[in-house]
Amino acid sequence: MLATSTHDTKRGEDVRARIAAVSELPREWAQDLKRWHTANRRHRVEIDGEYAPDNNEEALIYQTLLGSWPLDPLDDSTARPTCSASRGTW
């Protein structure tokens, strides 16, 4: 049994580790989150006077995408998704 994962884990260990690594770059994460939010605003829909996804759900989506993005250690363009994302190359 792994101590870092429990029966109710919504994400795998690798995904959670990658997301935890992003927490070391709060300024970069905030900048990317703002840019992605602006770029994807047109995809939000209004349901009963509320926009979906809301800001928290949208951040969760981006965290999950970032954490599950495949990493290829031989390909520098995908080995660091946060850096690549900052340059708009992924």
Side-chain angles (χ1 to χ4, degrees), residues 22 25-33 36 59 62-63 66:
V22 171
L25 304 166
R27 186 178 306 123
E28 292 86 347
W29 173 250
Q31 290 169 347
D32 287 340
L33 193 59
W36 296 329
Y62 297 138
Q63 286 176 352
L66 182 69

Side-chain angles (χ1 to χ4, degrees), residues 27-77:
R27 186 178 306 123
E28 292 86 347
W29 173 250
Q31 290 169 347
D32 287 340
L33 193 59
K34 183 177 180 179
R35 191 176 76 248
W36 296 329
H37 175 77
T38 300
N40 292 305
R41 183 174 291 156
R42 64 190 166 137
H43 299 293
R44 297 176 77 175
V45 295
E46 189 174 345
I47 301 172
D48 297 329
E50 301 283 330
Y51 281 98
D54 67 23
N55 290 339
N56 291 332
E57 292 168 333
E58 189 174 4
L60 178 69
I61 291 167
Y62 297 138
Q63 286 176 352
T64 302
L65 285 170
L66 182 69
S68 60
W69 198 260
L71 296 179
D72 180 355
L74 301 177
D75 181 1
D76 190 47
S77 68

